[in-house]
Amino acid sequence: MQQFNRRQIPILCLIFLPVLFMGICILKYGVNFPFSDQWPLAVMFEKIYAGNLSFSDLFAQFHESRKFFPRLIFIGLAFLTNWDVRSEMLVIFVLTCVVSFNIYCLNRLTVRASLVTQLLLLAISNLLIFSPAQYENWLWGIQIVVYIPIVCLTGCLVIAQKKLSLRTKFIICFCLCTVSTFSYANGMLNWVLVFPALAILASGKFEEVFTKNIWIIIGGLLGLVANAAAYFYDYQKPDKHPSFLSAIAHPVETIHYFLAFLGAPLGFENLTVATIVGGLVFGFWLFLGWKFFWLVKTDFLLLHRLIGWLIIKNLF
């Protein structure tokens, strides 16, 4: 096992500086006042005090999500702090620390490099993970719902790389994907990301993914179907949301929106520039994907080390 030494102290400072900075910012700028989507929680608290809170209240749809597990967290925090919403911000901070730890673990499990290099990679990761640019997420307690699926996904990717039995990995990932689904709407995507990755990591060559280990993908698909059935039971489309079929009905506008959205960070708030940048980025992504496909086709075990990072890169 590699040991720490004095030369690594500056790197450790770089790792923890963004963490410390964001923790201080939350303590300094966090305000104990519910905002916007937090107010409906007050109705749930009233039901608790009246003694008539039901499972359906916890499972109820809010906008497009069913925030079952976050509601349990909100109730627990409200009970402990008399609904001081700053405690929710601190939970967001803790969840983000878990994400950082998961990234470090994934790094240790997949990157063949010295401890110094791995710590430097973590320092760079923390600059992004603890970026103050997402200040609205840091200072709005209900955004716990956004971080839970990320924690679940990165946790699944680490578990998939661990030396555990395949059945144990499957069960843990199944549970984490369920938590993710009933925390935030996009958490459902974890099902289609985690189980193919788990099947790949359990296989020594491409053929085994669709033969020996196909049960992993099928099991994940069945889990997705079961979760989706519960999720969409009595689902009501929010009034301001477009139809599920609108993207198919207007393919040109959909592609335009996708490219503009993809290029927006470098589009200088210009729709045309954002669309062009998005097209270039997407084209480059397709090119890299094609090259990578042929690379891992001849070296399948390389995919074992890269699959987690590919999922994180393409999702975030």
Side-chain angles (χ1 to χ4, degrees), residues 252-283:
V252 176
E253 290 85 349
T254 300
I255 295 173
H256 187 195
Y257 175 86
F258 171 75
L259 295 178
F261 181 82
L262 190 63
L266 299 175
F268 303 102
E269 299 184 0
N270 184 293
L271 181 60
T272 302
V273 175
T275 305
I276 294 173
V277 171
L280 293 173
V281 170
F282 186 64

Short mmCIF file of all heavy atoms in Angstrom, two decimals, residues 252-283:
data_model
loop_
_atom_site.label_atom_id
_atom_site.label_comp_id
_atom_site.label_asym_id
_atom_site.label_seq_id
_atom_site.Cartn_x
_atom_site.Cartn_y
_atom_site.Cartn_z
N VAL A 252 -36.85 18.37 -36.63
CA VAL A 252 -35.89 19.43 -36.96
C VAL A 252 -35.69 20.35 -35.76
O VAL A 252 -34.55 20.68 -35.38
CB VAL A 252 -36.36 20.23 -38.18
CG1 VAL A 252 -35.40 21.39 -38.45
CG2 VAL A 252 -36.45 19.33 -39.41
N GLU A 253 -36.80 20.76 -35.15
CA GLU A 253 -36.70 21.63 -33.98
C GLU A 253 -36.01 20.92 -32.82
O GLU A 253 -35.26 21.54 -32.05
CB GLU A 253 -38.10 22.09 -33.54
CG GLU A 253 -38.76 23.07 -34.50
CD GLU A 253 -39.49 22.37 -35.64
OE1 GLU A 253 -39.28 21.14 -35.80
OE2 GLU A 253 -40.24 23.04 -36.36
N THR A 254 -36.25 19.62 -32.71
CA THR A 254 -35.63 18.84 -31.64
C THR A 254 -34.12 18.79 -31.81
O THR A 254 -33.36 18.99 -30.84
CB THR A 254 -36.20 17.40 -31.63
OG1 THR A 254 -37.61 17.46 -31.41
CG2 THR A 254 -35.54 16.57 -30.53
N ILE A 255 -33.67 18.52 -33.03
CA ILE A 255 -32.23 18.48 -33.30
C ILE A 255 -31.60 19.85 -33.06
O ILE A 255 -30.51 19.98 -32.48
CB ILE A 255 -31.97 17.99 -34.73
CG1 ILE A 255 -32.43 16.55 -34.89
CG2 ILE A 255 -30.49 18.12 -35.09
CD1 ILE A 255 -32.38 16.03 -36.30
N HIS A 256 -32.30 20.89 -33.51
CA HIS A 256 -31.80 22.25 -33.31
C HIS A 256 -31.65 22.56 -31.83
O HIS A 256 -30.64 23.12 -31.38
CB HIS A 256 -32.76 23.25 -33.98
CG HIS A 256 -32.24 24.65 -33.98
ND1 HIS A 256 -33.04 25.75 -34.23
CD2 HIS A 256 -31.00 25.16 -33.73
CE1 HIS A 256 -32.33 26.85 -34.16
NE2 HIS A 256 -31.08 26.52 -33.85
N TYR A 257 -32.66 22.20 -31.07
CA TYR A 257 -32.62 22.44 -29.62
C TYR A 257 -31.46 21.68 -28.99
O TYR A 257 -30.73 22.22 -28.15
CB TYR A 257 -33.95 22.01 -28.99
CG TYR A 257 -33.95 22.13 -27.48
CD1 TYR A 257 -34.28 23.33 -26.85
CD2 TYR A 257 -33.62 21.03 -26.67
CE1 TYR A 257 -34.27 23.44 -25.48
CE2 TYR A 257 -33.61 21.14 -25.29
CZ TYR A 257 -33.94 22.34 -24.70
OH TYR A 257 -33.93 22.45 -23.34
N PHE A 258 -31.30 20.42 -29.38
CA PHE A 258 -30.24 19.59 -28.80
C PHE A 258 -28.86 20.19 -29.07
O PHE A 258 -28.03 20.30 -28.16
CB PHE A 258 -30.32 18.17 -29.39
CG PHE A 258 -29.15 17.30 -29.03
CD1 PHE A 258 -29.03 16.77 -27.75
CD2 PHE A 258 -28.17 17.02 -29.96
CE1 PHE A 258 -27.95 15.97 -27.42
CE2 PHE A 258 -27.08 16.23 -29.64
CZ PHE A 258 -26.97 15.70 -28.36
N LEU A 259 -28.62 20.60 -30.31
CA LEU A 259 -27.31 21.16 -30.66
C LEU A 259 -27.08 22.50 -29.96
O LEU A 259 -25.97 22.78 -29.48
CB LEU A 259 -27.20 21.32 -32.17
CG LEU A 259 -27.22 20.02 -32.99
CD1 LEU A 259 -27.15 20.33 -34.48
CD2 LEU A 259 -26.08 19.10 -32.58
N ALA A 260 -28.12 23.32 -29.90
CA ALA A 260 -27.99 24.62 -29.23
C ALA A 260 -27.73 24.44 -27.73
O ALA A 260 -26.92 25.14 -27.13
CB ALA A 260 -29.24 25.46 -29.45
N PHE A 261 -28.42 23.48 -27.14
CA PHE A 261 -28.23 23.20 -25.72
C PHE A 261 -26.81 22.69 -25.46
O PHE A 261 -26.16 23.09 -24.50
CB PHE A 261 -29.26 22.16 -25.27
CG PHE A 261 -29.16 21.80 -23.81
CD1 PHE A 261 -29.75 22.60 -22.85
CD2 PHE A 261 -28.48 20.66 -23.41
CE1 PHE A 261 -29.66 22.28 -21.50
CE2 PHE A 261 -28.39 20.33 -22.07
CZ PHE A 261 -28.98 21.14 -21.11
N LEU A 262 -26.33 21.83 -26.36
CA LEU A 262 -24.99 21.27 -26.21
C LEU A 262 -23.91 22.34 -26.35
O LEU A 262 -22.90 22.32 -25.64
CB LEU A 262 -24.78 20.18 -27.27
CG LEU A 262 -23.54 19.29 -27.15
CD1 LEU A 262 -23.59 18.49 -25.85
CD2 LEU A 262 -23.45 18.34 -28.34
N GLY A 263 -24.13 23.29 -27.24
CA GLY A 263 -23.12 24.31 -27.48
C GLY A 263 -23.30 25.58 -26.68
O GLY A 263 -22.48 26.51 -26.79
N ALA A 264 -24.35 25.66 -25.86
CA ALA A 264 -24.66 26.88 -25.12
C ALA A 264 -23.52 27.39 -24.24
O ALA A 264 -23.27 28.60 -24.20
CB ALA A 264 -25.93 26.68 -24.29
N PRO A 265 -22.79 26.52 -23.51
CA PRO A 265 -21.72 27.04 -22.65
C PRO A 265 -20.65 27.82 -23.40
O PRO A 265 -19.99 28.69 -22.82
CB PRO A 265 -21.14 25.77 -22.01
CG PRO A 265 -22.26 24.79 -22.02
CD PRO A 265 -22.99 25.07 -23.30
N LEU A 266 -20.47 27.52 -24.70
CA LEU A 266 -19.47 28.22 -25.50
C LEU A 266 -20.11 29.03 -26.62
O LEU A 266 -19.44 29.41 -27.58
CB LEU A 266 -18.48 27.21 -26.10
CG LEU A 266 -17.67 26.38 -25.10
CD1 LEU A 266 -16.81 25.35 -25.82
CD2 LEU A 266 -16.79 27.28 -24.24
N GLY A 267 -21.40 29.29 -26.48
CA GLY A 267 -22.13 29.98 -27.54
C GLY A 267 -22.24 31.47 -27.37
O GLY A 267 -22.83 32.15 -28.23
N PHE A 268 -21.71 32.02 -26.28
CA PHE A 268 -21.72 33.47 -26.03
C PHE A 268 -23.14 34.05 -26.14
O PHE A 268 -23.34 35.15 -26.65
CB PHE A 268 -20.78 34.19 -27.01
CG PHE A 268 -19.36 33.70 -26.96
CD1 PHE A 268 -18.88 32.84 -27.93
CD2 PHE A 268 -18.52 34.07 -25.92
CE1 PHE A 268 -17.58 32.37 -27.88
CE2 PHE A 268 -17.22 33.60 -25.86
CZ PHE A 268 -16.74 32.75 -26.85
N GLU A 269 -24.12 33.25 -25.67
CA GLU A 269 -25.52 33.67 -25.63
C GLU A 269 -26.06 34.01 -27.02
O GLU A 269 -26.99 34.81 -27.16
CB GLU A 269 -25.71 34.86 -24.68
CG GLU A 269 -25.32 34.53 -23.24
CD GLU A 269 -25.61 35.67 -22.29
OE1 GLU A 269 -26.11 36.72 -22.75
OE2 GLU A 269 -25.34 35.51 -21.09
N ASN A 270 -25.47 33.40 -28.04
CA ASN A 270 -25.93 33.58 -29.42
C ASN A 270 -26.43 32.23 -29.92
O ASN A 270 -25.67 31.25 -29.94
CB ASN A 270 -24.79 34.11 -30.29
CG ASN A 270 -25.23 34.40 -31.71
OD1 ASN A 270 -25.58 33.49 -32.47
ND2 ASN A 270 -25.22 35.67 -32.08
N LEU A 271 -27.69 32.17 -30.35
CA LEU A 271 -28.29 30.90 -30.73
C LEU A 271 -27.57 30.26 -31.91
O LEU A 271 -27.32 29.04 -31.91
CB LEU A 271 -29.77 31.11 -31.07
CG LEU A 271 -30.56 29.86 -31.47
CD1 LEU A 271 -30.56 28.84 -30.33
CD2 LEU A 271 -32.00 30.24 -31.85
N THR A 272 -27.22 31.05 -32.90
CA THR A 272 -26.54 30.50 -34.08
C THR A 272 -25.18 29.94 -33.72
O THR A 272 -24.81 28.83 -34.13
CB THR A 272 -26.39 31.58 -35.17
OG1 THR A 272 -27.68 32.09 -35.52
CG2 THR A 272 -25.72 31.01 -36.40
N VAL A 273 -24.43 30.71 -32.95
CA VAL A 273 -23.09 30.25 -32.53
C VAL A 273 -23.20 28.99 -31.68
O VAL A 273 -22.44 28.03 -31.85
CB VAL A 273 -22.36 31.36 -31.74
CG1 VAL A 273 -21.03 30.85 -31.19
CG2 VAL A 273 -22.13 32.57 -32.64
N ALA A 274 -24.18 28.98 -30.76
CA ALA A 274 -24.36 27.82 -29.89
C ALA A 274 -24.70 26.58 -30.71
O ALA A 274 -24.21 25.47 -30.43
CB ALA A 274 -25.46 28.09 -28.87
N THR A 275 -25.52 26.74 -31.74
CA THR A 275 -25.90 25.60 -32.59
C THR A 275 -24.70 25.07 -33.36
O THR A 275 -24.49 23.86 -33.46
CB THR A 275 -27.00 26.02 -33.57
OG1 THR A 275 -28.12 26.56 -32.85
CG2 THR A 275 -27.47 24.82 -34.38
N ILE A 276 -23.89 25.98 -33.89
CA ILE A 276 -22.69 25.56 -34.64
C ILE A 276 -21.71 24.85 -33.71
O ILE A 276 -21.17 23.78 -34.04
CB ILE A 276 -22.02 26.78 -35.30
CG1 ILE A 276 -22.94 27.36 -36.38
CG2 ILE A 276 -20.67 26.39 -35.90
CD1 ILE A 276 -22.44 28.67 -36.97
N VAL A 277 -21.48 25.44 -32.55
CA VAL A 277 -20.57 24.82 -31.58
C VAL A 277 -21.09 23.45 -31.16
O VAL A 277 -20.34 22.47 -31.08
CB VAL A 277 -20.39 25.72 -30.34
CG1 VAL A 277 -19.62 24.99 -29.25
CG2 VAL A 277 -19.67 27.00 -30.72
N GLY A 278 -22.40 23.37 -30.93
CA GLY A 278 -22.99 22.09 -30.56
C GLY A 278 -22.82 21.04 -31.64
O GLY A 278 -22.54 19.87 -31.34
N GLY A 279 -22.97 21.45 -32.90
CA GLY A 279 -22.77 20.52 -34.01
C GLY A 279 -21.33 20.02 -34.08
O GLY A 279 -21.08 18.84 -34.31
N LEU A 280 -20.38 20.94 -33.87
CA LEU A 280 -18.97 20.55 -33.89
C LEU A 280 -18.64 19.61 -32.73
O LEU A 280 -17.92 18.61 -32.92
CB LEU A 280 -18.09 21.81 -33.82
CG LEU A 280 -18.13 22.74 -35.04
CD1 LEU A 280 -17.34 24.01 -34.76
CD2 LEU A 280 -17.58 22.02 -36.27
N VAL A 281 -19.16 19.93 -31.56
CA VAL A 281 -18.90 19.09 -30.39
C VAL A 281 -19.50 17.70 -30.60
O VAL A 281 -18.85 16.68 -30.32
CB VAL A 281 -19.48 19.74 -29.12
CG1 VAL A 281 -19.45 18.76 -27.94
CG2 VAL A 281 -18.72 21.01 -28.77
N PHE A 282 -20.72 17.66 -31.10
CA PHE A 282 -21.38 16.36 -31.31
C PHE A 282 -20.66 15.55 -32.38
O PHE A 282 -20.48 14.33 -32.24
CB PHE A 282 -22.84 16.58 -31.69
CG PHE A 282 -23.63 15.30 -31.78
CD1 PHE A 282 -23.84 14.52 -30.65
CD2 PHE A 282 -24.17 14.88 -32.99
CE1 PHE A 282 -24.56 13.34 -30.72
CE2 PHE A 282 -24.90 13.70 -33.07
CZ PHE A 282 -25.09 12.93 -31.93
N GLY A 283 -20.23 16.22 -33.44
CA GLY A 283 -19.49 15.52 -34.49
C GLY A 283 -18.17 14.97 -33.97
O GLY A 283 -17.79 13.84 -34.29
#
